[in-house]
Amino acid sequence: MDVRLKSGLRIARAVMFAQAVASLGIWVVQVLTIAGRLDHNQVVPGSVWLVAVVNPVIAVLAAVAAAFLLTRPWARTLGVAVEVAGCVGSLISVLTGFPQAAVAIAVAVAVIVLIRRG
């Protein structure tokens, strides 16, 4: 494997590990926000609940894909799938009041490019 390509995969792996940790942090904020809305008798849309359930699953899958990205071919496919799912989840987050999740979309696209090049 070309050193540059392997370098791109190493960068993708590091970013994916960071995404997994950040995703769990965002999940905590989302759960607290949902709890706050419920405490104030506000309606929590179903899409927010969906993201709150899917987010930790995405985080674990991203960590698994990152761990095996350089050594197992299936990890690349999993990594791309996780990044695509993360994009969808981030888009839902943006549309439901978490505009900071737009950054996650850009990062996910960059990781997909790095994985596909590797």
Side-chain angles (χ1 to χ4, degrees):
M1 179 183 290
D2 185 325
V3 174
R4 270 186 317 163
L5 297 179
K6 197 165 189 169
S7 171
L9 287 177
R10 288 180 196 271
I11 292 168
R13 181 175 63 176
V15 171
M16 289 176 72
F17 276 129
Q19 284 175 315
V21 171
S23 186
L24 289 176
I26 290 168
W27 176 72
V28 169
V29 171
Q30 288 173 327
V31 169
L32 292 174
T33 301
I34 289 170
R37 289 181 181 179
L38 292 174
D39 283 346
H40 292 95
N41 294 322
Q42 295 175 340
V43 175
V44 178
S47 57
V48 173
W49 287 106
L50 175 66
V51 171
V53 170
V54 171
N55 224 8
V57 173
I58 295 291
V60 169
L61 291 175
V64 168
F68 295 104
L69 195 60
L70 297 173
T71 60
R72 303 283 192 265
W74 57 261
R76 291 183 187 185
T77 303
L78 177 60
V80 170
V82 165
E83 294 299 330
V84 169
C87 283
V88 172
S90 295
L91 181 60
I92 292 169
S93 293
V94 168
L95 296 174
T96 57
F98 298 96
Q100 63 274 21
V103 173
I105 296 170
V107 172
V109 170
V111 170
I112 290 170
V113 168
L114 288 170
I115 291 172
R116 298 295 299 154
R117 286 185 181 167

